[in-house]
Amino acid sequence: MSKPAEGTPTDESSDSTAAPAGGGAAVASGGRMDMSDFSTRRLHPLLQAQLRELRARVTGGRISAHELLEMLSRYYDTVDDERRAMVRSMQLMSDDARSLGVEIAEQGAAQLQVILDHIKDVVITANSEGVIDRANPMTERVFSYPAAELLGQRIDVLVPGIALEGSITAGLARLTESSDTFRGMRVSPEVTARRSDGTPFLAEIAVSRARSGRGEVFVICLRDISERASTQEALRDSEARYRSLVDNAPEAIAVIDPDSQRFIEGNEPALRLFKMTRDQLLAVQLDAVSAEMQPDGQPAIAPRQHLRLAASGESQVFEWIHRDSTGRDIPCEVRLAQLQGGSKPLVRANITDISERKRAEIIMENERAFFALLASNAGLPAVLDVISALVQAVYPRCRCTISVLAPDGSCFTLTIARHLPPMLAAVLERTPIEPRRGSCAAAVYSACDIFVADVANDAHWADRRQVVLDSGYRAVWSMPIKGASGKLLGAVAIYRPEPGLPDSREQVLQSHATRLAAL
């Protein structure tokens, strides 16, 4: 501590006393305090250090009140300096923090602006009344409006129909409910937007609410989808044209999954071929539309090997007997090829009904055998048997009989009954020409065709009905054989398991067999 200044009372003249800081009694003598009895335990550490320093310098442990006050004053000055330094430090920290916050905000705004400047969608912010206060550069490229020209205008200048019952705010609020731009939970609604020249175009819109300062704003995102809509329309037109071409193709076309061996699609000719609806066709496997026995004599299984080869890119052509929903077998030529496009390998099948071609081939083959036997003067039974074989080759489930009339015309003397049950064949032998003795006898008796649709209730089979039914036949169609002069020579009959009348193709074949028999 500094020495007392001039004029300061001396120790001997001072009568001042001071209360001890520790709360105990300090002994005053001649204006000095006894420092040895002064307790410093409750004083500030800095003050304690100063008092210890003062004790070391004062003889006898006594100090004047002036020295003590001077020491306390310096202590308070030190505290004030520390407080002022702390306040200044806090002010500097506050200024730094404010500057940093402004810098961060400016950087964030700059980064946001960069994003908005380069985003491929139109981004517009509008106040609660729908007045535009910000638009990104894409807005000008899409709408041909300068961004500055849009500021202050209502959003319906770009989207005319956005208002709901005359309220733009209500329209924007409705769009916020139908848009989920963050999680993609809903499909963005589509609106008709308008460019600066009045040209309308289709756009997707997504609207959301946000807080800006003390107010609420709408964030509006628009995407021009006019090109995409045109592409989709062109794709639909192309698909419709392709569907029209496929459906109007003369042959059946189907798409097959080689793994599951199911139909994926089929055109109208395919549905007519299998006599199924589209739903029925897509619900069955290939085995369900294949005959039990195939042309190679093997049991029918789905052509797995053909499908695998076709799926790998190796085209396949083969004959296959399909069966429609009525049970009719249809010889077909099948061409399999890999269907291009798509993630899963599929096979396109072009199926051509070759029934007529097969029918013509069978008829020609049997005709050649017939004329060969005729030229070789073979016996009548052998020649007639070839004709019976011709009919049964075309209709494997039917049976053909040829009966030869006796010279006197009273009965049949010879009946060729290829593969007919023996009991029925025996009954037909030497059948009298009477109208109730069967279709052939009735045909010769009346000299006209007799087509019995159902033996069970036809009068021509009144005498022999049960033997025909027991043999498994319900329909019998008979045609008389006439010579060149018109003389009756016999009859040709076709026995069929199902009741019914012959169709035009069956009648043509039977007439052909009758003409051959007449030779």
Side-chain angles (χ1 to χ4, degrees), residues 164-485:
L164 179 62
E165 297 180 353
S167 171
I168 293 180
T169 302
L172 290 172
R174 177 195 59 183
L175 290 171
T176 60
E177 296 173 359
S178 60
S179 302
D180 191 338
T181 58
F182 298 104
R183 290 178 293 277
M185 299 298 290
R186 303 171 187 169
V187 177
S188 296
E190 296 178 358
V191 295
T192 300
R194 183 173 61 194
R195 307 188 201 278
S196 61
D197 61 359
T199 305
F201 67 93
L202 196 62
E204 282 184 350
I205 188 170
V207 181
S208 59
R209 298 177 187 264
R211 299 292 301 180
S212 178
R214 296 182 179 180
E216 186 178 61
V217 298
F218 290 100
V219 180
I220 305 162
C221 297
L222 281 160
R223 176 175 295 176
D224 183 353
I225 61 170
S226 55
E227 183 177 350
R228 185 179 75 188
S230 299
T231 302
Q232 290 175 343
E233 184 65 25
L235 183 62
R236 284 193 291 268
D237 290 344
S238 176
E239 183 179 356
R241 286 194 297 270
Y242 176 78
R243 167 63 65 183
S244 177
L245 288 172
V246 170
D247 284 345
N248 291 291
E251 61 185 4
I253 299 175
V255 179
I256 303 172
D257 181 352
D259 295 331
S260 64
Q261 297 182 42
R262 288 184 178 274
F263 292 98
I264 302 300
E265 189 54 88
N267 67 348
E268 289 300 324
L271 302 181
R272 290 196 296 269
L273 176 70
F274 296 117
K275 290 183 172 56
M276 293 181 177
T277 65
R278 179 168 276 101
D279 290 340
Q280 290 173 335
L281 181 64
L282 303 188
V284 301
Q285 288 185 311
L286 295 180
D287 289 342
V289 293
S290 298
E292 287 84 357
M293 298 300 294
Q294 290 301 310
D296 58 3
Q298 298 297 318
I301 59 173
R304 297 180 177 86
Q305 183 64 22
H306 292 298
L307 287 171
R308 282 195 295 269
L309 292 174
S312 65
E314 186 177 339
S315 298
Q316 302 289 300
V317 179
F318 56 95
E319 290 186 3
W320 195 260
I321 298 179
H322 285 294
R323 177 168 293 173
D324 63 22
S325 60
T326 66
R328 172 174 169 260
D329 290 344
I330 311 164
C332 297
E333 181 181 82
V334 181
R335 298 190 303 278
L336 302 179
Q338 183 186 49
L339 190 62
Q340 299 293 333
S343 58
K344 186 176 183 180
L346 298 175
V347 173
R348 169 174 168 155
N350 289 58
I351 308 170
T352 304
D353 183 350
I354 58 173
S355 300
E356 291 302 323
R357 190 180 80 190
K358 284 295 185 183
R359 175 192 181 98
E361 290 175 355
I362 292 172
I363 291 174
M364 289 177 61
E365 181 180 350
N366 282 273
E367 281 181 347
R368 282 196 297 269
F370 168 79
F371 286 112
L373 289 174
L374 200 61
S376 64
N377 293 319
L380 183 60
V383 176
L384 295 180
D385 187 64
V386 170
I387 299 174
S388 177
L390 183 154
V391 175
Q392 292 181 194
V394 177
Y395 298 111
R397 301 180 69 245
C398 296
R399 295 292 175 262
C400 177
T401 65
I402 302 176
S403 301
V404 179
L405 190 62
D408 60 2
S410 62
C411 66
F412 294 125
T413 59
L414 173 66
T415 298
I416 303 299
R418 170 182 278 259
H419 302 152
L420 205 66
M423 183 178 294
L424 180 57
V427 170
L428 296 179
E429 286 286 349
R430 305 191 68 81
T431 299
I433 306 303
E434 298 176 3
R436 297 171 59 88
R437 294 299 182 97
S439 300
C440 287
V444 172
Y445 182 85
S446 61
C448 64
D449 300 340
I450 300 296
F451 296 150
V452 175
D454 192 350
V455 173
N457 52 28
D458 190 89
H460 293 110
W461 286 95
D463 294 344
R464 299 180 174 184
R465 189 189 322 278
Q466 196 58 46
V467 68
V468 176
L469 296 176
D470 290 344
S471 298
Y473 299 101
R474 294 290 299 275
V476 183
W477 312 322
S478 297
M479 289 184 177
I481 304 172
K482 297 179 181 180
S485 61

Side-chain angles (χ1 to χ4, degrees), residues 114-125:
V114 170
I115 295 172
L116 291 177
D117 289 348
H118 291 84
I119 198 169
K120 299 302 182 183
D121 293 338
V122 172
V123 180
I124 297 171
T125 59

Side-chain angles (χ1 to χ4, degrees), residues 90-158:
M90 293 177 67
Q91 289 177 343
L92 292 174
M93 291 173 62
S94 177
D95 292 342
D96 290 343
R98 188 178 299 107
S99 299
L100 182 61
V102 171
E103 182 180 355
I104 292 174
E106 291 176 348
Q107 290 179 353
Q111 291 176 353
L112 177 60
Q113 191 62 47
V114 170
I115 295 172
L116 291 177
D117 289 348
H118 291 84
I119 198 169
K120 299 302 182 183
D121 293 338
V122 172
V123 180
I124 297 171
T125 59
N127 64 15
S128 59
E129 301 299 324
V131 177
I132 300 171
D133 57 24
R134 171 177 278 188
N136 71 337
M138 182 57 69
T139 306
E140 181 174 352
R141 290 195 285 272
V142 171
F143 289 95
S144 301
Y145 278 107
E149 186 177 333
L150 286 174
L151 301 184
Q153 296 199 53
R154 298 195 314 177
I155 188 65
D156 59 351
V157 73
L158 303 180

